Amino acid sequence: MTAICFTVPGKPQGKARARTYYNARKKAMSSTTPDKTVLYENFICTCYMESAGEQRFPDEAYIKVRIQAFYEVPKSSSKVKRLAMLSGELLPTKKPDIDNIVKAVLDALNKVAYRDDTQVVELQVRKQYSERPRLEICLEELEA
């Protein structure tokens, strides 16, 4: 299988922390993933399926993932600063954290692009500015 690349339009979002609470009905602790995170993961999944269809990596494949998170340039930026951001001289050091973006992407693609995200053995991630906020994701099978 060759590489599968796709774009997730819109502002990059990270995986939010699960909420844990005491469930009186079950008389035990329960955890739920916030709705915003579930919706974003479903959106990533939909973008993948629009690009790749039913294509899925083999269960024993080693996978390399490349993620580029493009953040919108703040409207308050001066022209000089804006040019520096768009040229890559200045990079975003703001939320969401890069590890939370990765977690959202890898979890969203579980059982859709691959059996489990444990198959991901190589990861390349970058945050940068752009006129158009989005995630660009490439999945590639590595040779054993």
Side-chain angles (χ1 to χ4, degrees):
M1 178 181 278
T2 58
I4 297 173
C5 298
F6 64 101
T7 300
V8 179
K11 183 180 165 191
Q13 294 178 36
K15 182 152 186 145
R17 189 163 289 166
R19 305 293 176 233
T20 303
Y21 59 93
Y22 180 74
N23 187 331
R25 212 178 289 155
K26 293 181 180 177
K27 295 188 177 27
M29 297 300 285
S30 292
S31 292
T32 58
T33 303
D35 291 342
K36 187 176 177 185
T37 297
V38 172
L39 288 171
Y40 192 62
E41 287 180 353
N42 288 339
F43 184 52
I44 292 170
C45 194
T46 300
C47 292
Y48 171 82
M49 288 173 19
E50 284 176 355
S51 176
E54 296 294 317
Q55 237 181 337
R56 188 177 142 160
F57 289 91
D59 287 353
E60 307 309 317
Y62 297 119
I63 301 169
K64 173 184 178 178
V65 178
R66 241 180 13 259
I67 302 170
Q68 286 184 283
F70 292 91
Y71 289 74
E72 191 171 23
V73 176
K75 291 180 182 7
S76 61
S77 301
S78 67
K79 286 183 182 178
V80 172
K81 198 170 182 181
R82 179 181 192 77
L83 286 174
M85 289 173 167
L86 292 173
S87 70
E89 292 172 43
L90 291 176
L91 298 171
T93 54
K94 58 184 189 175
K95 300 270 184 188
D97 297 347
I98 205 164
D99 58 322
N100 292 329
I101 293 171
V102 169
K103 188 76 175 140
V105 170
L106 296 184
D107 286 353
L109 297 175
N110 264 343
K111 296 181 180 39
V112 176
Y114 39 74
R115 174 183 45 81
D116 190 76
D117 56 4
T118 57
Q119 291 178 257
V120 176
V121 296
E122 190 173 326
L123 187 61
Q124 196 176 20
V125 191
R126 182 176 173 89
K127 289 166 61 172
Q128 59 196 79
Y129 286 107
S130 172
E131 295 285 353
R132 191 172 50 96
R134 66 195 183 278
L135 286 180
E136 288 183 0
I137 303 163
C138 277
L139 306 162
E140 183 180 344
E141 185 174 352
L142 294 175
E143 296 299 319

